[in-house]
Amino acid sequence: MHLEQLEQAEALFKPQRIEVLRRLAEPATCGEVAEQLGQTPQRVYYHVKRLVEAGLVTQVDERKVRGIREGIYQATARSYWLSPTLVGRIGGLRRTRDELSLGYVLDLMEEVQTDIAALDRSAPELPSIGVSGEIRVPPDRRREFFEDLRGTLQDLFERYGGSEGDAFKLAVACYPKGDQDHD
């Protein structure tokens, strides 16, 4: 399949999606693919949904399992080729896509979820911290706020970014609160 649309190419940016796509060379359910990959069906469904939206996977059938309808999906092609007109645009897009996009935040949250799920929770000590809060920033000060936040985090990375000691991953996400009503 020759990919002409940027959205199709973007759907393949994540290695997990490429693995899901490979598994769907033959018809399969999200549960079957999840079992093969050692992931949850919900996580696989998330990737399948994006691949369906991009036209790279299609639902070929459906079956009823314990009263629930389960889709059977298959890749729309055996191989995918990027149009030469997309290659340069993707490189530029990937370089310019930054922390200000909600897509990046979603990818980051998925990465955090995967990392945390892989931790050995039976370990006697798992040093970690979770902080959440709400900040209100006037529209004319958003840029200043984001620059302050980035500067503060960069300072932490520089101070504690050495090669010795326990490695920790720090992920910070800032996104609009769903309910925009002001109290």
Side-chain angles (χ1 to χ4, degrees):
M1 176 179 211
H2 194 71
L3 303 181
E4 296 282 345
Q5 298 174 7
L6 189 58
E7 296 77 21
Q8 291 176 314
E10 286 178 326
L12 294 175
F13 278 170
K14 300 183 99 2
Q16 299 100 329
R17 285 199 194 128
I18 292 172
E19 270 308 307
V20 168
L21 194 57
R22 282 187 184 132
R23 305 295 171 143
L24 292 175
E26 299 299 324
T29 66
C30 292
E32 292 166 339
V33 173
E35 189 174 316
Q36 293 171 13
L37 297 175
Q39 296 182 5
T40 65
Q42 295 83 359
R43 177 177 215 70
V44 169
Y45 179 73
Y46 168 80
H47 292 301
V48 168
K49 185 176 175 185
R50 298 297 171 263
L51 291 166
V52 167
E53 290 169 357
L56 303 175
V57 165
T58 187
Q59 184 174 338
V60 295
D61 204 354
E62 187 176 78
R63 68 181 177 203
K64 199 170 184 179
V65 178
R66 291 183 292 251
I68 298 173
R69 296 199 181 278
E70 185 175 46
I72 300 172
Y73 300 91
Q74 185 171 14
T76 57
R78 293 281 183 192
S79 61
Y80 300 89
W81 300 91
L82 291 180
S83 164
T85 59
L86 285 180
V87 176
R89 290 172 58 198
I90 291 169
L93 175 69
R94 292 198 73 175
R95 281 188 297 278
T96 58
R97 183 177 73 173
D98 65 6
E99 297 82 14
L100 297 179
S101 76
L102 286 176
Y104 181 85
V105 172
L106 285 171
D107 290 347
L108 180 63
M109 293 300 101
E110 182 179 324
E111 187 177 319
V112 168
Q113 183 180 11
T114 300
D115 289 347
I116 291 172
L119 292 174
D120 178 8
R121 294 188 193 181
S122 66
E125 180 185 344
L126 287 176
S128 59
I129 183 173
V131 178
S132 177
E134 183 177 321
I135 295 175
R136 296 194 181 258
V137 180
D140 61 330
R141 296 194 62 205
R142 282 186 193 148
R143 184 178 202 84
E144 176 187 355
F145 167 71
F146 287 135
E147 288 172 4
D148 283 349
L149 180 60
R150 185 179 310 206
T152 300
L153 293 171
Q154 191 60 42
D155 179 54
L156 284 172
F157 290 137
E158 288 171 7
R159 279 195 282 157
Y160 298 101
S163 60
E164 296 190 16
D166 296 330
F168 288 90
K169 183 157 188 179
L170 175 65
V172 176
C174 183
Y175 51 91
K177 185 177 173 191
D179 177 18
Q180 293 299 319
D181 293 336
H182 296 286
D183 299 330

